């Protein structure tokens, strides 16, 4: 008897009592993924609403007569008169290392068939961006593995760099290469026991796919898995078949997941592919919610839609954990029109843009980066010294080459200086051609650019430069690992390294038959 009493006493001690306030309402109308609800007098903006059948909604329009709510899921089973409840919680998603290697939807629910995500923490999808005081200036490089970008348009950890261009110009390829390169660097630094050295800062990746075909998303995930990048990557998928609410929320959900790394003193990079489709989804939701439309039928707060997302990317100072979140948003242009509404909005929010030209892409120059229209407002602050030494004048040389090329088409008589500039420029163009999914390590980039800048390719025909660069790269990777390791550790070209580079390149050149 006493044991039963003791058990009851233990149960009573564990018992917790608290009052919960629930606000109940009824659906007035539902259609196009939006429900009008009556009776939710205590609802908060962006609060999660419980619908029948386990559906979740978000309160977006707080009107005098009713609440406009966007439903995340299939609304076909909802009908007028159904009861809904407030939850008292703002929309949150799971965060943490447990999400690495997983494919989740806009609410952080797994869609890869690998079982539930055992996350211990949740972050709200909407959060105020860090202020000026906790931030630090960007001075650590985020190597993309793409020579043209790392040399001319460097990206730093904590930066926001826009990737912009028409459809089918290679925007997603640049994003994928960046993620593959982070995995390559992480794997190279990893010790035998699977841990990272104390002085090494790995970069984790979040890839947000908005409004894309399922087949394209599957192809991207396949590339991550094939190159061993999935263990450092979270994929947030809101495909074209998803409702507009999920496409609107997915970038914010991915940002919350990236912020967890930043707030815990780690580095992360997030790709939004692409924000044009998020803006279209938001326009669709806004019009159904009867919000007034503005330019191109977008609502007046479409700028705020993207600014409150991209401002959350930052490099934090030591007192605030020293973490960073780098954002690479993608925007699709129509016929190269960078002065359209959404492109100009995002250009004004970001710290530079990589502009991809259709003409260059069609000429076989890939990545098809326009030197004139691309810029990084962080600049060489986000470059290691070795790359600064070999790439300091490359952007100017290439820009001058593009100008001269246009004039050279009309005149046949060119002076020696102009001809030399054209020859050097055409070789730099060949140097920067790079196939998809093959990022190059920083030390390899340095060695190849050093060889081109020092004239070792000047006597090779332009058509054979790509092949020659490939041959030199293979020699460096297979027979000159010690030299590459020195460049990697020193992060600059010392006199000793320069002498070794000269010996290595001349040795290769003497045996290269073309």
């Amino acid at each position: 008897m006493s044991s039963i009493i003791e058990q009851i006493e233990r149960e009573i001690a564990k018992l917790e009592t608290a009052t919960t306030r629930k606000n109940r309402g009824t659906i007035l109308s539902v259609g196009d993924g939006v429900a009008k609800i009556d009776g939710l007098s205590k609802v908060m903006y962006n609060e999660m609403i419980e619908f029948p059948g386990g559906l979740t909604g978000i309160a977006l329009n707080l009107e005098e007569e009713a609440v406009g709510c966007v439903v995340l899921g299939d609304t076909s089973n909802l009908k007028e008169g159904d009861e809904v409840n407030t939850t008292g919680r703002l929309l949150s998603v799971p965060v943490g290392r447990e999400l690495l290697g997983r494919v989740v939807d806009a609410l952080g629910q797994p869609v890869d068939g690998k079982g539930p995500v055992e996350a211990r923490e949740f972050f709200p999808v909407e959060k105020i961006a860090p202020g000026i005081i906790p931030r630090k200036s960007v001075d650590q490089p985020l190597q993309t593995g793409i020579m043209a970008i790392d040399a001319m348009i460097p990206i730093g950890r904590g930066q926001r760099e826009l990737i912009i261009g028409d459809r089918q110009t290679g925007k997603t390829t640049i994003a994928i290469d960046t993620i593959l390169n982070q995995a390559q660097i992480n794997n190279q630094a990893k010790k035998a026991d699977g841990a990272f050295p104390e002085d090494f800062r790995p970069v984790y990746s979040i890839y947000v796919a908005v409004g894309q075909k399922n087949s394209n998303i599957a192809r991207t995930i396949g590339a991550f898995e094939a190159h061993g990048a999935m263990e450092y990557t979270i994929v947030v998928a809101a495909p074209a078949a998803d409702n507009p609410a999920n496409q609107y929320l997915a970038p914010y959900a991915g940002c919350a997941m990236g912020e967890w790394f930043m707030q815990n003193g780690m580095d992360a990079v997030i790709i939004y592919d692409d924000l044009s489709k998020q803006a279209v989804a938001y326009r669709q939701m806004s019009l159904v919610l009867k919000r007034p439309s503005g330019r191109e039928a977008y609502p007046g707060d479409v700028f705020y839609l993207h600014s409150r997302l991209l401002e959350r990317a930052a490099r934090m100072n030591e007192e605030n954990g020293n973490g960073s979140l780098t954002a690479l948003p993608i925007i699709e242009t129509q016929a190269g029109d960078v002065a359209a509404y959404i492109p100009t909005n995002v250009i004004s929010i970001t710290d530079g843009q990589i502009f991809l030209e259709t003409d260059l892409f069609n000429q076989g120059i890939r990545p098809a980066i326009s030197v004139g229209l691309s810029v990084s407002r962080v600049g060489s602050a986000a470059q290691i010294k070795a790359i600064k030494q070999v790439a300091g004048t490359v952007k100017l040389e290439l820009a001058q080459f593009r100008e001269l090329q246009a004039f050279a088409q009309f005149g046949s008589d060119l002076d020696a200086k102009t001809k030399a500039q054209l020859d050097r420029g055409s070789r730099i163009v060949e140097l920067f051609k790079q196939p998809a999914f093959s990022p190059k390590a920083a030390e390899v980039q340095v060695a190849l650019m050093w060889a081109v800048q020092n004239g070792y390719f000047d006597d090779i025909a332009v058509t054979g430069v790509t092949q020659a660069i490939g041959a030199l790269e293979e020699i460096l990777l297979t027979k000159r690992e010690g030299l590459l390791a020195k460049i990697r550790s020193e992060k600059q070209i010392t006199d000793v390294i320069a002498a070794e580079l000269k010996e290595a390149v001349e040795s290769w050149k003497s045996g290269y038959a073309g």
Side-chain angles (χ1 to χ4, degrees), residues 143-286:
Q143 299 287 349
T144 63
I146 300 164
M147 288 183 76
I149 294 174
D150 291 343
M152 300 187 294
I153 318 147
I155 299 170
R157 297 187 188 188
Q159 192 176 339
R160 300 153 302 178
E161 183 80 9
L162 172 64
I163 302 168
I164 184 168
D166 285 4
R167 64 187 301 273
Q168 299 292 319
T169 50
K171 302 186 295 298
T172 301
T173 304
I174 285 179
I176 294 171
D177 275 354
T178 303
I179 291 176
L180 298 185
N181 196 50
Q182 306 320 311
Q184 202 167 286
I185 294 167
N186 293 350
N187 286 329
Q188 193 176 42
K190 199 181 263 189
K191 293 189 285 191
D193 62 355
F196 292 111
E198 278 186 22
D199 60 340
F200 178 75
R201 294 179 64 88
V203 177
Y204 298 98
S205 309
I206 300 102
Y207 178 78
V208 184
V210 181
Q212 294 184 40
K213 290 190 291 189
N214 280 319
S215 58
N216 287 352
I217 298 172
R219 198 177 300 125
T220 301
I221 294 165
F224 293 155
E225 287 172 342
H227 293 82
M230 205 60 201
E231 65 175 300
Y232 307 107
T233 307
I234 303 167
V235 177
V236 183
D242 260 14
N243 60 20
N246 281 7
Q247 294 181 40
Y248 150 69
L249 278 174
Y252 293 102
C255 190
M257 293 165 193
E259 274 179 328
W260 181 87
F261 290 101
M262 178 175 76
Q263 291 187 8
N264 285 280
M266 291 175 272
D267 295 322
V269 59
I270 183 162
I271 314 287
Y272 303 112
D273 190 7
D274 66 42
L275 292 188
S276 309
K277 293 188 177 72
Q278 188 205 17
V280 168
Y282 187 59
R283 172 171 64 184
Q284 190 176 332
M285 277 168 37
S286 298

Side-chain angles (χ1 to χ4, degrees), residues 280-400:
V280 168
Y282 187 59
R283 172 171 64 184
Q284 190 176 332
M285 277 168 37
S286 298
L287 292 172
V288 174
L289 283 164
K290 304 242 180 336
R291 291 182 175 182
S293 56
R295 181 175 162 190
E296 291 177 30
Y298 287 104
D301 63 342
V302 75
F303 179 91
Y304 183 52
L305 169 81
H306 290 147
S307 69
R308 71 180 192 263
L309 173 70
L310 295 169
E311 291 293 344
R312 287 159 71 178
R315 166 93 190 279
M316 308 304 281
N317 58 27
E318 276 77 9
E319 296 84 63
N320 290 278
N322 201 27
S324 75
L325 178 62
T326 310
L328 301 180
I330 294 175
I331 287 285
E332 186 182 296
T333 53
Q334 307 291 325
D337 184 12
V338 285
Y341 188 31
I342 302 299
T344 46
N345 277 357
V346 184
I347 285 170
S348 64
I349 298 163
T350 49
D351 309 309
Q353 68 275 347
I354 297 163
F355 183 70
L356 301 175
E357 271 188 86
T358 311
D359 289 349
L360 291 177
F361 187 85
N362 293 337
Q363 287 167 30
I365 299 168
R366 296 170 193 178
I369 294 167
S370 162
V371 192
L373 290 175
S374 301
V375 65
S376 169
R377 296 189 187 103
V378 171
S380 60
Q383 276 179 320
I384 59 169
K385 192 177 177 185
I387 289 185
K388 280 187 210 175
Q389 285 173 292
V390 291
T393 59
V394 166
K395 193 172 186 206
L396 181 64
E397 283 176 14
L398 203 50
Q400 286 175 337

Side-chain angles (χ1 to χ4, degrees), residues 394-414:
V394 166
K395 193 172 186 206
L396 181 64
E397 283 176 14
L398 203 50
Q400 286 175 337
F401 164 71
R402 293 252 186 265
E403 292 292 321
L404 283 172
Q405 202 181 24
F407 283 109
Q409 290 173 25
F410 304 110
S412 55
D413 298 331
L414 299 171

